[in-house]
Amino acid sequence: MKAPLSNQKGQALAEAALSLPLLVIAFSAMLILTYRGALYYFADHQAHEAIICLDDDSVQNCRGRYERSFKKVIFLGLRYKVKLSRNSQQGQAFFEVDLKPPLKIEKSISFPLTKNL
């Protein structure tokens, strides 16, 4: 004997009520991981570009460019730190975002970037 139609509707509602929070959690986790991954690769690329900038420009100018580029991709009021330094032999970049766990990138490149032949 078939179950009445009203019981099937109640069962579907109960299944939806149980599975919807799991779907929301899974979708949120995917978004967070995608953002974190994209932020990591963007920061890594920008750190490399900032160090190359140090070969031709001052630390202050390169740091300003580096920070402006990060402000475009960081949202939700996340705090971050940007540090650039240069000496005669090396340029270094450091980037940190206050996430859980923190996202940190450190890069250095030896100078001179081009060799005189």
Side-chain angles (χ1 to χ4, degrees):
M1 186 163 146
K2 284 178 123 179
L5 189 57
S6 63
N7 283 347
Q8 290 176 352
K9 287 181 183 177
Q11 181 180 355
L13 181 62
E15 288 174 1
L18 291 173
S19 63
L20 187 60
L22 294 175
L23 289 173
V24 168
I25 289 170
F27 183 71
S28 298
M30 252 179 24
L31 281 177
I32 290 169
L33 289 174
T34 301
Y35 175 69
R36 186 179 175 95
L39 184 61
Y40 175 82
Y41 285 108
F42 181 78
D44 185 58
H45 174 74
Q46 290 300 318
H48 184 80
E49 292 295 320
I51 294 171
I52 291 173
C53 173
L54 288 175
D55 195 34
D56 295 328
D57 209 346
S58 70
V59 172
Q60 292 80 15
N61 289 342
C62 293
R63 186 175 190 271
R65 287 185 210 159
Y66 191 46
E67 278 193 325
R68 281 191 299 276
S69 67
F70 284 120
K71 286 180 183 179
K72 294 176 185 176
V73 296
I74 292 188
F75 59 95
L76 301 175
L78 291 173
R79 292 183 302 166
Y80 64 94
K81 296 177 196 168
V82 173
K83 295 179 185 173
L84 285 177
S85 63
R86 180 178 198 255
N87 60 33
S88 61
Q89 308 207 342
Q90 233 180 16
Q92 296 176 330
F94 174 77
F95 174 72
E96 181 179 3
V97 179
D98 288 339
L99 292 171
K100 301 292 180 198
L103 177 67
K104 295 180 182 180
I105 293 177
E106 294 182 61
K107 272 196 158 200
S108 62
I109 296 177
S110 297
F111 291 128
L113 292 177
T114 57
K115 294 188 178 204
N116 296 331
L117 296 175

